[in-house]
Amino acid sequence: MKWMLVVLVGGVSPVNTDLVFDKFADCLAAEEQMRQHYSDAFDAWDRMAAARIDRRSDYRKARDIEAKRLLGNIGTCIPHGGGDQQPIVTPQQQPPATSSQPVAPSPPQPSPQPTPRT
């Protein structure tokens, strides 16, 4: 079985990385490496912000926002079946029509009428 690394942005929204591994351990190692890159980026930002932001309360607020932005992204390894798998359809996407016949438009729905006042 193959494994694919998927990043959950903000811990919620999945983003396909197209990184496929033959071994689960290799996928986990890539996830660890990705997490380390995010941690290193946050540490670099933190050193820069500590030197540039004068007010302690502003620094704390900015640090919390940056930590959520960078450290809120997590990776996970999911099974990958190869090229025979259907792509994941997100709620914003509609799957293409598979029928070769044209689809007739649905008739317009009547708008609801307000109830009369007495």
Side-chain angles (χ1 to χ4, degrees):
M1 176 182 297
K2 293 188 183 264
W3 298 88
M4 181 173 23
L5 179 63
V6 174
V7 176
L8 299 173
V9 177
V12 179
S13 302
V15 175
N16 184 355
T17 62
D18 289 329
L19 296 174
V20 178
F21 302 90
D22 290 326
K23 297 178 184 174
F24 184 63
D26 292 343
C27 187
L28 289 177
E31 189 274 332
E32 176 64 32
Q33 185 179 16
M34 180 207 69
R35 197 171 344 133
Q36 187 61 47
H37 283 296
Y38 279 123
S39 180
D40 292 345
F42 177 73
D43 290 342
W45 177 89
D46 193 36
R47 285 190 300 276
M48 181 274 311
R52 290 187 178 175
I53 300 176
D54 295 330
R55 294 179 55 198
R56 184 78 179 150
S57 63
D58 291 343
Y59 167 72
R60 279 196 310 265
K61 288 177 188 175
R63 188 175 196 277
D64 288 345
I65 291 169
E66 194 67 12
K68 286 178 186 173
R69 187 179 76 82
L70 285 173
L71 303 178
N73 301 332
I74 58 173
T76 187
C77 296
I78 61 170
H80 182 67
D84 59 345
Q85 233 173 312
Q86 294 291 328
I88 297 173
V89 177
T90 60
Q92 294 85 14
Q93 298 174 340
Q94 293 293 327
T98 56
S99 173
S100 61
Q101 296 183 5
V103 176
S106 60
Q109 299 294 326
S111 59
Q113 298 295 322
T115 57
R117 290 187 174 171
T118 57

